[in-house]
Structures are given as structure tokens and as C-alpha cells.
């Protein structure tokens, strides 16, 4: 690798490079391949000045972005290796090329990246490249269970049929439930089965980044043309462009043009289109023309299935790996619905076990994952539930304990009782007392009512899911 902008002697710049390589490696671990390739790889560690690590980026936008979103993590990772580093500073070096979409985590593509470093005008850059797909995210490695079976089927359908019969497909669900995994799986499948099909996968934040660049260089025409030749467009985490008006405008046009040409579009979001605040009405309704599917939070069976499949993969690669089968059940019970957290727990256990060279037991699990288990245990209180529910439905907290029986108050009150029953270990009478001294039969009624309604009323189901996430998060 060349030492662009490193004005030090070769010994120390080699040290810097090594430090940065290690940092990228660790960041890939913590933030994921895609994120690093898109945002962090285009940044360079140029100097350590006193207690500051100086990072250079090609544009102010990129510097700002990385600093705001990943600054703290980068500092922590750097600090681990060089404890004297106390802060990271960003500088702007237009010569760096700042073309994150050409950046790739593996050496093979670096040569390509350097070709684009002439002054950093994106208009000079060739066509828009897809963000790299994570090789681990395939259909084969995706465990299907009740909570995600619809989303999985929709993704399969997109990957296997060429006719865009559902268009667009909108996948939504909470953090770490497999949206990105499914999109990458579609990408991999298409690459294999239809090598000529042009697949463009990018995050909505990156879409915005490119759009802002295009605006800045007054080159929105090229920006638009870049999408023309795409057969399948996948945009991840669309909630990100909510409230960003001009980006939405552009997104909308791109989106319409592609749909008119019968090109497949897949979009993901962290909630259903109508619940994304600041998403324009027309985008929202256009999204709903297609197929909208949600990924529900994992249930125990799915968590266990995922853990088993990951543990098998680890065992296949590490013949000495041994684990008490109870451990997986324990983790599936105790760790939240976020699959990323689940995987993290298993990875940590595995690292720990291979360090000390022993079989993974229940005791070891308790010890090694104490902090994770503690947060999973975090006690949610009835007060918090009332506050969040009141906020969510624009009520006063006192409405929830009042005797008012108007639907607009009674339903949220039932939701709050339902959440109190499922998220706390309080008894029915205790919950009744928490809601203005109601009888325990009222609580039972509320819990049953909400359980039933949730099956048919998807809006309510969404509300509850969102509240649950906020309370547990
Ligand atoms: P999201 O994009 O919804 O936040 P991701 O797709 O990034 O979530 O998933 C988080 C992690 O969990 C990834 O490592 C992914 O491989 C894993 N994961 C999620 N769901 C499943 C599943 N059903 N089977 C196997 N792995 C999964
Ligand atoms: Mg994702």
C-alpha cells in the first residue's frame, strides 16, 4: 500500500499503516464489513500528533460523517493499541480520492480505488458501484423460523424470478433481525444465477452521500444516469432519508423510473413505511403498492436454531470446540431478540474457550457473559412503561391511571398493562395497583384483549413491538 500524505519517515509511517490496518480489522469485526468498506476504508490515518490520532478524509462530508458516526468507536479501537491516544482529529485531503464505493476491504480492489483519486470530483468517477456484499450473508446461512418466514419467502422470490412480480419489496423490522442479511443473500444468489444482471446494493445513507456530492458538483444528471442500467436496486435502511427532502425527491424519481422499467427494487427500513416520520406521503404510498413484509422479533425456537447453526459452523472449523448443549438453550432464553447480540455472545464464548482451552460450560458462560446477561436482565418498571406508552399515544401519564373509559385512553392503558405483564415480573394485583388501583381481573382482561387484537391489528402489533424495543433497549 502506498503512503499517501504520510509525511514521516518510512519506519514510522509503516507503523501507522500497521496500526490503521489493525484498526480496520477490528472495526470490521465491530461495525461490519459493509460499513467499514463504505465509510472507514476511504479514511486514512496520517499522523499521531501528541495524544491525537489524525485521520484524513477526501471531503468534509466524509470526515464529518465518520467523526459523528464512528468517531468514538475508532478512538476506542486505536486506544486499545496505543493507550496514549486520547482523541481523533479529522483533516480534509481532497487528494485522497474519497470514493467509498470503489473501496473494498480486500487488497484485490485497492488498485482500482487508486485510479479514481484524481481531484475527487465524483463526476469523473465511473458508474456507481454496489457496496460489497458480506460473504457470510447468504440464503444458506439464513435460518428460517416463524418470525421471518414471510420475509425470507419474499427475498427468495425476488432472487429467483426475473419478472419483478412484487415491486417494490419493502422489508422492515427491528435492529439485527436479518434485513441486511436477506438483501445480501438476494445479491449473492443473483450473481450466481444471473451473472449479467446488474445488482446495485447500497445503504440509504450512501445514496444520500452520493446525491449530496452530485449536488455539490452540479452533476445530478450523471447521478440519475447511473441508475438507468441497474436491473435490481436494493436500498438498505431507508428510514435514514426521512426528513431529508431533496434526497427523498431524488429517491422518488429514481425509484419511479426504475419501477416503470420493471426493474426490481428492494428496500429495507426499521419500521413500516407509514410509521417512518418525515417520509413523504407519496413515497410511502408508492412503497405500499408493492409487497410490504415485516420480520418479527425472534422467538425462542428461532434463536435456538440460529445458535445451533452458528455453533455447528464454529465446530466444523475448530475440531476442538466443545460445548455443553445446555448453553445454547440458556442463551436462547436469556438473550434478547437481536441476532447480532446473540452472535456476539457466541463469538465471545468461543474466543474465551479457545484462549483457556476448555470446553464451554454453563459456569463459564455465566462468567464470560456476565455483562450481557445483566443488561438482558435490566428491570423494566411499570412507571417507565406508563411514561413510554403515554408519550407514544400523546396522553398524560395520569390518563393511564385515571378512571376514564374513552377508547382513546382505555386502549393505550390496556397496552401498558399488557407490556407490564410481559416485561416485568410483577403480579397481576401489583400491576392493577400500578394503574390506579384496578382489580387483577381488569389486568387479565387487558392482557387477553391485547393478545387477541395484536393478531389482527398490525398497527397495534407494530406499536407494541416498538414500545417493547424502546423499553428493553
Ligand atoms: P438488520 O439489517 O436487520 O439490522 P442484519 O441482517 O445485519 O440485521 O443481521 C444481524 C446479524 O444477525 C447478521 O450477522 C446476520 O447474519 C444475523 N442473522 C439475522 N437473522 C438471521 C437468521 N435468520 N439466520 C442466521 N443469521 C441471522
Ligand atoms: Mg441492516
Amino acid at each position: 500500500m502506498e503512503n499517501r500524505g504520510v509525511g514521516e519517515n518510512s519506519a514510522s509511517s509503516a507503523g501507522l499503516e500497521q496500526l490503521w490496518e489493525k484498526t480496520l480489522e477490528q472495526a470490521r469485526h465491530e461495525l461490519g464489513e459493509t460499513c467499514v468498506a463504505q465509510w472507514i476504508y476511504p479514511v486514512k490515518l496520517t499522523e499521531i500528533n501528541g495524544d491525537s490520532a489524525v485521520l484524513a478524509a477526501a471531503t468534509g462530508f466524509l470526515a464529518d460523517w465518520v467523526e459523528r458516526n464512528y468517531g468514538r468507536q475508532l478512538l476506542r479501537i486505536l486506544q486499545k493499541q496505543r493507550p496514549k491516544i486520547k482523541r481523533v482529529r479529522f483533516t480534509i485531503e481532497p487528494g485522497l480520492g474519497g470514493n467509498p464505493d470503489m473501496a473494498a476491504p480486500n487488497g484485490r480492489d485497492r488498485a482500482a480505488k487508486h485510479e479514481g483519486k484524481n481531484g475527487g470530483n465524483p463526476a469523473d468517477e465511473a458508474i456507481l458501484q454496489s457496496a460489497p456484499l458480506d460473504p457470510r450473508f447468504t440464503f444458506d446461512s439464513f435460518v428460517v423460523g416463524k418470525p421471518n418466514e414471510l420475509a425470507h419467502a419474499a427475498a427468495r422470490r425476488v432472487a429467483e424470478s426475473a419478472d419483478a412480480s412484487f415491486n417494490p419489496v419493502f422489508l422492515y423490522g427491528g435492529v439485527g433481525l436479518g434485513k441486511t442479511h436477506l438483501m445480501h443473500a438476494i445479491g449473492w444468489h443473483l450473481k450466481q444465477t444471473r451473472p449479467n444482471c446488474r445488482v446495485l446494493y447500497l445503504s440509504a445513507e450512501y445514496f444520500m452521500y452520493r446525491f449530496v456530492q452530485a449536488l455539490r458538483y452540479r452533476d445530478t444528471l450523471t447521478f440519475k444516469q447511473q441508475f438507468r442500467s441497474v436491473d435490481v436496486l436494493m436500498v438498505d435502511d431507508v428510514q435514514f432519508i426521512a426528513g431529508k427532502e431533496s434526497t427523498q425527491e431524488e429517491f422518488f424519481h429514481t425509484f419511479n423510473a426504475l419501477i416503470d422499467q420493471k426493474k426490481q427494487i428492494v428496500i429495507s427500513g426499521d419500521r413500516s413505511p407509514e410509521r417512518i416520520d418525515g417520509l413523504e406521503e407519496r413515497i410511502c404510498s408508492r412503497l405500499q403498492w408493492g409487497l410490504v413484509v415485516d420480520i418479527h422479533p425472534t422467538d425462542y425456537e428461532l434463536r435456538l436454531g440460529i445458535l445451533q447453526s452458528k455453533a455447528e459452523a464454529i465446530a466444523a472449523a475448530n475440531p476442538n470446540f466443545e460445548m455443553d448443549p445446555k448453553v445454547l438453550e440458556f442463551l436462547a432464553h436469556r438473550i434478547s431478540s437481536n441476532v447480532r447480540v446473540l452472535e456476539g455472545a457466541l463469538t465471545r464464548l468461543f474466543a474465551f474457550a479457545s484462549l483457556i482451552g476448555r470446553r464451554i460450560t454453563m459456569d463459564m458462560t455465566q462468567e464470560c457473559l456476565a455483562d450481557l446477561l445483566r443488561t438482558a436482565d435490566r428491570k423494566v418498571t411499570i412507571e417507565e412503561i406508563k411514561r413510554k406508552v403515554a408519550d407514544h399515544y400523546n396522553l398524560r401519564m395520569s390518563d393511564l391511571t385515571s378512571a376514564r373509559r374513552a377508547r382513546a385512553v382505555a386502549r393505550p392503558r390496556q397496552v401498558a398493562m399488557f407490556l407490564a405483564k410481559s416485561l416485568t415480573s410483577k403480579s397481576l394485583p401489583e400491576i392493577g395497583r400500578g394503574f390506579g388501583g384496578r382489580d387483577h381481573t381488569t389486568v387479565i382482561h387487558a392482557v387477553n384483549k391485547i393478545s387477541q387484537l395484536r393478531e389482527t391489528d398490525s398497527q397495534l402489533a407494530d406499536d407494541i413491538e416498538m414500545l417493547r424495543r424502546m423499553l428493553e433497549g
Side-chain angles (χ1 to χ4, degrees), residues 215-229:
L215 281 181
R216 217 173 93 198
Y217 293 98
R218 295 189 184 77
D219 195 21
T220 49
L221 194 66
T222 313
F223 180 78
K224 287 190 178 93
Q225 281 166 348
Q226 288 176 327
F227 288 93
R228 290 245 170 97
S229 58

PDB file of all heavy atoms in Angstrom, residues 215-229:
ATOM      1  N   LEU A 215     -24.989  17.069  -6.092  1.00  0.00           N
ATOM      2  CA  LEU A 215     -25.499  18.432  -5.995  1.00  0.00           C
ATOM      3  C   LEU A 215     -24.351  19.414  -5.924  1.00  0.00           C
ATOM      4  O   LEU A 215     -24.342  20.456  -6.569  1.00  0.00           O
ATOM      5  CB  LEU A 215     -26.334  18.601  -4.727  1.00  0.00           C
ATOM      6  CG  LEU A 215     -27.755  18.093  -4.732  1.00  0.00           C
ATOM      7  CD1 LEU A 215     -28.391  18.384  -3.381  1.00  0.00           C
ATOM      8  CD2 LEU A 215     -28.553  18.777  -5.849  1.00  0.00           C
ATOM      9  N   ARG A 216     -23.385  19.053  -5.120  1.00  0.00           N
ATOM     10  CA  ARG A 216     -22.272  19.950  -4.913  1.00  0.00           C
ATOM     11  C   ARG A 216     -21.494  20.182  -6.195  1.00  0.00           C
ATOM     12  O   ARG A 216     -21.019  21.265  -6.464  1.00  0.00           O
ATOM     13  CB  ARG A 216     -21.356  19.362  -3.848  1.00  0.00           C
ATOM     14  CG  ARG A 216     -20.792  20.436  -2.976  1.00  0.00           C
ATOM     15  CD  ARG A 216     -20.037  19.845  -1.844  1.00  0.00           C
ATOM     16  NE  ARG A 216     -18.654  19.727  -2.173  1.00  0.00           N
ATOM     17  CZ  ARG A 216     -17.831  18.940  -1.512  1.00  0.00           C
ATOM     18  NH1 ARG A 216     -18.286  18.186  -0.534  1.00  0.00           N
ATOM     19  NH2 ARG A 216     -16.577  18.894  -1.827  1.00  0.00           N
ATOM     20  N   TYR A 217     -21.351  19.124  -6.970  1.00  0.00           N
ATOM     21  CA  TYR A 217     -20.622  19.267  -8.218  1.00  0.00           C
ATOM     22  C   TYR A 217     -21.580  19.551  -9.376  1.00  0.00           C
ATOM     23  O   TYR A 217     -21.236  19.382 -10.529  1.00  0.00           O
ATOM     24  CB  TYR A 217     -19.791  18.017  -8.493  1.00  0.00           C
ATOM     25  CG  TYR A 217     -18.671  17.847  -7.506  1.00  0.00           C
ATOM     26  CD1 TYR A 217     -18.796  17.008  -6.409  1.00  0.00           C
ATOM     27  CD2 TYR A 217     -17.477  18.559  -7.672  1.00  0.00           C
ATOM     28  CE1 TYR A 217     -17.764  16.863  -5.503  1.00  0.00           C
ATOM     29  CE2 TYR A 217     -16.439  18.420  -6.761  1.00  0.00           C
ATOM     30  CZ  TYR A 217     -16.595  17.566  -5.678  1.00  0.00           C
ATOM     31  OH  TYR A 217     -15.572  17.432  -4.793  1.00  0.00           O
ATOM     32  N   ARG A 218     -22.799  19.918  -9.040  1.00  0.00           N
ATOM     33  CA  ARG A 218     -23.829  20.215 -10.040  1.00  0.00           C
ATOM     34  C   ARG A 218     -23.896  19.147 -11.113  1.00  0.00           C
ATOM     35  O   ARG A 218     -23.827  19.397 -12.300  1.00  0.00           O
ATOM     36  CB  ARG A 218     -23.540  21.569 -10.691  1.00  0.00           C
ATOM     37  CG  ARG A 218     -23.647  22.679  -9.685  1.00  0.00           C
ATOM     38  CD  ARG A 218     -23.589  24.035 -10.341  1.00  0.00           C
ATOM     39  NE  ARG A 218     -23.598  25.057  -9.318  1.00  0.00           N
ATOM     40  CZ  ARG A 218     -22.533  25.376  -8.585  1.00  0.00           C
ATOM     41  NH1 ARG A 218     -21.392  24.770  -8.774  1.00  0.00           N
ATOM     42  NH2 ARG A 218     -22.627  26.293  -7.648  1.00  0.00           N
ATOM     43  N   ASP A 219     -24.016  17.945 -10.680  1.00  0.00           N
ATOM     44  CA  ASP A 219     -23.979  16.857 -11.634  1.00  0.00           C
ATOM     45  C   ASP A 219     -25.044  15.820 -11.335  1.00  0.00           C
ATOM     46  O   ASP A 219     -24.779  14.637 -11.290  1.00  0.00           O
ATOM     47  CB  ASP A 219     -22.591  16.211 -11.600  1.00  0.00           C
ATOM     48  CG  ASP A 219     -22.403  15.328 -12.810  1.00  0.00           C
ATOM     49  OD1 ASP A 219     -23.119  15.531 -13.804  1.00  0.00           O
ATOM     50  OD2 ASP A 219     -21.559  14.431 -12.748  1.00  0.00           O
ATOM     51  N   THR A 220     -26.247  16.292 -11.117  1.00  0.00           N
ATOM     52  CA  THR A 220     -27.289  15.331 -10.779  1.00  0.00           C
ATOM     53  C   THR A 220     -27.694  14.491 -11.991  1.00  0.00           C
ATOM     54  O   THR A 220     -28.246  13.416 -11.833  1.00  0.00           O
ATOM     55  CB  THR A 220     -28.534  16.044 -10.225  1.00  0.00           C
ATOM     56  OG1 THR A 220     -28.850  17.103 -11.097  1.00  0.00           O
ATOM     57  CG2 THR A 220     -28.282  16.579  -8.838  1.00  0.00           C
ATOM     58  N   LEU A 221     -27.359  14.988 -13.178  1.00  0.00           N
ATOM     59  CA  LEU A 221     -27.727  14.218 -14.367  1.00  0.00           C
ATOM     60  C   LEU A 221     -26.974  12.883 -14.390  1.00  0.00           C
ATOM     61  O   LEU A 221     -27.562  11.823 -14.593  1.00  0.00           O
ATOM     62  CB  LEU A 221     -27.418  15.037 -15.619  1.00  0.00           C
ATOM     63  CG  LEU A 221     -28.073  14.459 -16.878  1.00  0.00           C
ATOM     64  CD1 LEU A 221     -29.582  14.573 -16.762  1.00  0.00           C
ATOM     65  CD2 LEU A 221     -27.560  15.163 -18.120  1.00  0.00           C
ATOM     66  N   THR A 222     -25.661  12.960 -14.172  1.00  0.00           N
ATOM     67  CA  THR A 222     -24.872  11.730 -14.114  1.00  0.00           C
ATOM     68  C   THR A 222     -25.402  10.826 -13.022  1.00  0.00           C
ATOM     69  O   THR A 222     -25.535   9.624 -13.196  1.00  0.00           O
ATOM     70  CB  THR A 222     -23.389  12.041 -13.808  1.00  0.00           C
ATOM     71  OG1 THR A 222     -22.988  13.096 -14.651  1.00  0.00           O
ATOM     72  CG2 THR A 222     -22.520  10.831 -14.025  1.00  0.00           C
ATOM     73  N   PHE A 223     -25.715  11.453 -11.914  1.00  0.00           N
ATOM     74  CA  PHE A 223     -26.237  10.680 -10.793  1.00  0.00           C
ATOM     75  C   PHE A 223     -27.460   9.874 -11.239  1.00  0.00           C
ATOM     76  O   PHE A 223     -27.569   8.681 -10.976  1.00  0.00           O
ATOM     77  CB  PHE A 223     -26.598  11.633  -9.656  1.00  0.00           C
ATOM     78  CG  PHE A 223     -27.139  10.947  -8.437  1.00  0.00           C
ATOM     79  CD1 PHE A 223     -26.273  10.308  -7.556  1.00  0.00           C
ATOM     80  CD2 PHE A 223     -28.499  10.936  -8.171  1.00  0.00           C
ATOM     81  CE1 PHE A 223     -26.768   9.676  -6.429  1.00  0.00           C
ATOM     82  CE2 PHE A 223     -28.997  10.309  -7.048  1.00  0.00           C
ATOM     83  CZ  PHE A 223     -28.121   9.673  -6.170  1.00  0.00           C
ATOM     84  N   LYS A 224     -28.343  10.529 -11.944  1.00  0.00           N
ATOM     85  CA  LYS A 224     -29.552   9.844 -12.408  1.00  0.00           C
ATOM     86  C   LYS A 224     -29.225   8.745 -13.395  1.00  0.00           C
ATOM     87  O   LYS A 224     -29.763   7.647 -13.332  1.00  0.00           O
ATOM     88  CB  LYS A 224     -30.497  10.833 -13.086  1.00  0.00           C
ATOM     89  CG  LYS A 224     -31.174  11.754 -12.120  1.00  0.00           C
ATOM     90  CD  LYS A 224     -32.272  12.531 -12.820  1.00  0.00           C
ATOM     91  CE  LYS A 224     -32.996  13.430 -11.875  1.00  0.00           C
ATOM     92  NZ  LYS A 224     -32.504  14.791 -11.793  1.00  0.00           N
ATOM     93  N   GLN A 225     -28.311   9.077 -14.302  1.00  0.00           N
ATOM     94  CA  GLN A 225     -27.991   8.095 -15.339  1.00  0.00           C
ATOM     95  C   GLN A 225     -27.361   6.840 -14.761  1.00  0.00           C
ATOM     96  O   GLN A 225     -27.494   5.760 -15.301  1.00  0.00           O
ATOM     97  CB  GLN A 225     -27.058   8.720 -16.378  1.00  0.00           C
ATOM     98  CG  GLN A 225     -27.849   9.585 -17.337  1.00  0.00           C
ATOM     99  CD  GLN A 225     -26.958  10.488 -18.159  1.00  0.00           C
ATOM    100  OE1 GLN A 225     -25.759  10.626 -17.866  1.00  0.00           O
ATOM    101  NE2 GLN A 225     -27.519  11.114 -19.169  1.00  0.00           N
ATOM    102  N   GLN A 226     -26.670   7.023 -13.647  1.00  0.00           N
ATOM    103  CA  GLN A 226     -26.014   5.876 -13.041  1.00  0.00           C
ATOM    104  C   GLN A 226     -26.990   4.769 -12.672  1.00  0.00           C
ATOM    105  O   GLN A 226     -26.616   3.619 -12.561  1.00  0.00           O
ATOM    106  CB  GLN A 226     -25.239   6.311 -11.801  1.00  0.00           C
ATOM    107  CG  GLN A 226     -24.015   7.105 -12.172  1.00  0.00           C
ATOM    108  CD  GLN A 226     -23.291   7.632 -10.965  1.00  0.00           C
ATOM    109  OE1 GLN A 226     -23.905   7.951  -9.953  1.00  0.00           O
ATOM    110  NE2 GLN A 226     -21.987   7.709 -11.034  1.00  0.00           N
ATOM    111  N   PHE A 227     -28.216   5.161 -12.465  1.00  0.00           N
ATOM    112  CA  PHE A 227     -29.188   4.152 -12.054  1.00  0.00           C
ATOM    113  C   PHE A 227     -29.888   3.475 -13.230  1.00  0.00           C
ATOM    114  O   PHE A 227     -30.499   2.446 -13.091  1.00  0.00           O
ATOM    115  CB  PHE A 227     -30.243   4.779 -11.135  1.00  0.00           C
ATOM    116  CG  PHE A 227     -29.690   5.109  -9.788  1.00  0.00           C
ATOM    117  CD1 PHE A 227     -29.183   6.361  -9.519  1.00  0.00           C
ATOM    118  CD2 PHE A 227     -29.663   4.146  -8.794  1.00  0.00           C
ATOM    119  CE1 PHE A 227     -28.667   6.661  -8.269  1.00  0.00           C
ATOM    120  CE2 PHE A 227     -29.143   4.434  -7.544  1.00  0.00           C
ATOM    121  CZ  PHE A 227     -28.649   5.699  -7.284  1.00  0.00           C
ATOM    122  N   ARG A 228     -29.759   4.107 -14.395  1.00  0.00           N
ATOM    123  CA  ARG A 228     -30.508   3.606 -15.551  1.00  0.00           C
ATOM    124  C   ARG A 228     -30.206   2.165 -15.901  1.00  0.00           C
ATOM    125  O   ARG A 228     -31.079   1.424 -16.316  1.00  0.00           O
ATOM    126  CB  ARG A 228     -30.198   4.480 -16.774  1.00  0.00           C
ATOM    127  CG  ARG A 228     -30.779   5.845 -16.663  1.00  0.00           C
ATOM    128  CD  ARG A 228     -31.843   6.067 -17.724  1.00  0.00           C
ATOM    129  NE  ARG A 228     -32.549   7.298 -17.462  1.00  0.00           N
ATOM    130  CZ  ARG A 228     -32.252   8.455 -18.052  1.00  0.00           C
ATOM    131  NH1 ARG A 228     -31.307   8.508 -18.958  1.00  0.00           N
ATOM    132  NH2 ARG A 228     -32.926   9.538 -17.750  1.00  0.00           N
ATOM    133  N   SER A 229     -28.939   1.810 -15.793  1.00  0.00           N
ATOM    134  CA  SER A 229     -28.540   0.487 -16.276  1.00  0.00           C
ATOM    135  C   SER A 229     -28.699  -0.601 -15.215  1.00  0.00           C
ATOM    136  O   SER A 229     -28.322  -1.740 -15.423  1.00  0.00           O
ATOM    137  CB  SER A 229     -27.084   0.541 -16.725  1.00  0.00           C
ATOM    138  OG  SER A 229     -26.311   0.969 -15.631  1.00  0.00           O
TER     139      SER A 229
END
